């Protein structure tokens, strides 16, 4: 299992939008409708923001949105806020009851 | 409210066997079988890594990277599940999270337990 590829860092000013990418293969990101995104603040457990590519759990602001094109999934954070500064990980179902995570992107709010 | 709580030794020596437990609360006996239960780890400054999952019925799935060293098990009577990792090395130093796998997403996480492998 290879980790999904994410850019190591991204940044934006408050109120701006930032889009994070997550690149895999047809065996994971592109092969199933099961891509999820997690937000992790330092020293904390991850929190699911997006599941099944585009769905938001209750309680997650609609500033967070997910999409996918081919083997690349994306998470867009609109209206950046200071509390959005965190690490973001994508995860994908890789078939045969296996799961793979991305390398993570650190988002900085300038 | 569903809560997961990990417990572990904190420090183990190289070549030892690691045993971790995760207590589950807030899930009814009726709904417990609807989920799979997982272990995910995060070495210092590194990415999350799925290790293993288990269903209520005891079906197990493992990350091939760990398959020869890891065992996941469940004690439904105690509403807890466990991870056993043999022959640990410094590379196994990490924060170990337990999590609920709900329709192929990890929707509830424990706070994590820190494990250091050192002599």
């Amino acid at each position: 299992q290879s980790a999904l590829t994410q850019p190591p860092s991204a940044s934006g000013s408050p109120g701006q939008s930032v889009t994070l990418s997550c690149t895999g293969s047809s065996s994971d990101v592109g092969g199933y409708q099961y891509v999820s995104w997690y937000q992790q603040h330092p020293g904390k457990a991850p929190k699911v923001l997006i599941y099944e590519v585009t769905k938001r759990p209750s309680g997650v602001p609609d500033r967070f949105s997910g999409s996918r094109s081919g083997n690349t999934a994306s998470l867009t954070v609109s209206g950046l806020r200071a509390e959005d500064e965190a690490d973001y990980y994508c995860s994908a179902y890789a078939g045969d009851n296996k799961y793979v995570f991305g390398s993570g992107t650190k988002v900085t709010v300038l | 409210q569903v809560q997961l709580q990990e417990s572990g030794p904190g420090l183990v020596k190289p070549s030892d066997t690691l045993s971790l437990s995760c207590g589950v609360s807030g899930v009814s006996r009726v709904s417990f079988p609807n989920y799979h239960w997982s272990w995910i780890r995060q070495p210092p400054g590194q990415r999350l890594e799925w290790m293993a999952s288990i269903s209520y019925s005891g079906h197990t799935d493992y990350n091939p990277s760990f398959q020869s060293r890891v065992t996941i098990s469940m004690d439904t009577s105690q509403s807890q599940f466990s991870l056993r990792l043999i022959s640990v090395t410094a590379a196994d130093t990490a924060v170990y999270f337990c999590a609920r796998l709900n329709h192929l997403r990890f929707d509830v996480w424990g706070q994590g337990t820190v494990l250091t492998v050192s002599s």
Side-chain angles (χ1 to χ4, degrees), chain A residues 3 18 22 28 32 38 42 53 58-59 63 66-67 69 78-79 86-87 106:
Chain A
V18 63
C22 169
D28 39 61
Y32 305 92
Y38 301 85
V53 180
S58 61
R63 302 187 297 105
S67 63
S69 177
S78 305
D87 293 326
K106 181 177 181 59

Side-chain angles (χ1 to χ4, degrees), chain A residues 1-3 34 36 38 40 43-48 51-52 89 91 93 96-104, chain B residues 40 42 45-50 53 59 61-65 67 97 101 103-107 109-112:
Chain A
Q1 278 182 307
S2 299
Y34 298 110
S36 48
Y38 301 85
Q40 186 181 33
K44 300 295 186 182
K47 170 190 171 183
V48 60
Y51 67 99
E52 292 179 17
Y89 292 92
S91 176
Y93 179 68
D96 196 26
N97 296 327
K98 305 290 190 291
Y99 300 84
V100 61
F101 282 93
S103 46
Chain B
I40 296 160
Q42 187 172 35
Q46 297 185 40
R47 67 180 179 95
L48 299 163
E49 190 172 26
W50 172 75
S53 294
H59 175 82
D61 295 291
Y62 295 105
N63 184 328
S65 300
Q67 188 141 8
F97 295 100
L101 181 60
H103 292 290
L104 283 74
R105 68 187 182 272
F106 303 100
D107 69 338
W109 296 65
Q111 64 185 25

Side-chain angles (χ1 to χ4, degrees), chain A residues 26-97:
Chain A
S26 59
S27 298
D28 39 61
V29 173
Y32 305 92
Q33 195 68 11
Y34 298 110
V35 176
S36 48
W37 288 89
Y38 301 85
Q39 178 190 61
Q40 186 181 33
H41 288 106
K44 300 295 186 182
K47 170 190 171 183
V48 60
L49 297 175
I50 297 289
Y51 67 99
E52 292 179 17
V53 180
T54 61
K55 298 179 180 179
R56 267 189 319 275
S58 61
V60 173
D62 59 7
R63 302 187 297 105
F64 295 93
S65 61
S67 63
R68 181 183 60 181
S69 177
N71 297 332
T72 297
S74 298
L75 173 73
T76 297
V77 186
S78 305
L80 266 177
R81 304 173 67 160
E83 59 261 37
D84 297 334
E85 187 161 294
D87 293 326
Y88 292 81
Y89 292 92
C90 60
S91 176
Y93 179 68
D96 196 26
N97 296 327

